[in-house]
Amino acid sequence: AQLRILLTARVPPRGPWAALGLSKVVEVELPPLAPDDAARLLARRAARPFYRRDFGVVTVGAGSGASGGSGGNAGEPLPLDGELLGLLAACPLALKLGGSPGRIVAAAAEVHAGLPSLLRHPWLMPALV
């Protein structure tokens, strides 16, 4: 039996991680995810659906308040299709994440019912010192 270990890092392993016992460490650099793949990962890992308001798109005349409205979630959720993937791929958050799967998953964890808009994502807010 052979033991294989997958070690992931944002920088090449150096120091004690350059070798594991008598085994060598092989570096394989993976490119960032393509924009559509990054958008799909973000959409699937987010804890709530996306709405047009998440991208600064305001829908006018869509029965403002006629449904008794939930306020923040005005409009229908966008289905996971090419339009949503295009909106996600072009949004400021996706551009900031740079196609890094780890960063995308971490950022998606912040997309929940309490987030009023993707444009208000904590990773896009200026740092408070």
Side-chain angles (χ1 to χ4, degrees), residues 33-50:
L33 292 176
D36 279 355
D37 293 331
R40 182 173 279 108
L41 179 59
L42 180 60
R44 289 189 173 165
R45 295 301 295 256
R48 71 160 172 83
F50 292 96

Side-chain angles (χ1 to χ4, degrees), residues 7-19 25-30:
L7 174 68
T8 63
R10 291 190 177 132
V11 295
R14 299 289 181 249
W17 296 106
V25 173
V26 178
E27 295 178 23
V28 178
E29 185 174 342
L30 298 176

Side-chain angles (χ1 to χ4, degrees), residues 8 11 16 24 31 50 54 59 64 68-71 75 84 97 103 119 122 129:
T8 63
V11 295
K24 69 178 181 175
F50 292 96
D54 284 311
T59 357
S64 56
S70 59
L84 175 59
L97 299 174
R103 292 176 51 117
L119 299 173
V129 178

Side-chain angles (χ1 to χ4, degrees), residues 58-108:
V58 179
T59 357
V60 179
S64 56
S67 63
S70 59
N73 285 344
E76 292 294 315
L78 296 171
L80 181 53
D81 62 7
E83 178 188 11
L84 175 59
L85 294 179
L87 288 168
L88 281 171
C91 79
L93 179 62
L95 300 175
K96 184 174 182 97
L97 299 174
S100 167
R103 292 176 51 117
I104 294 168
V105 169

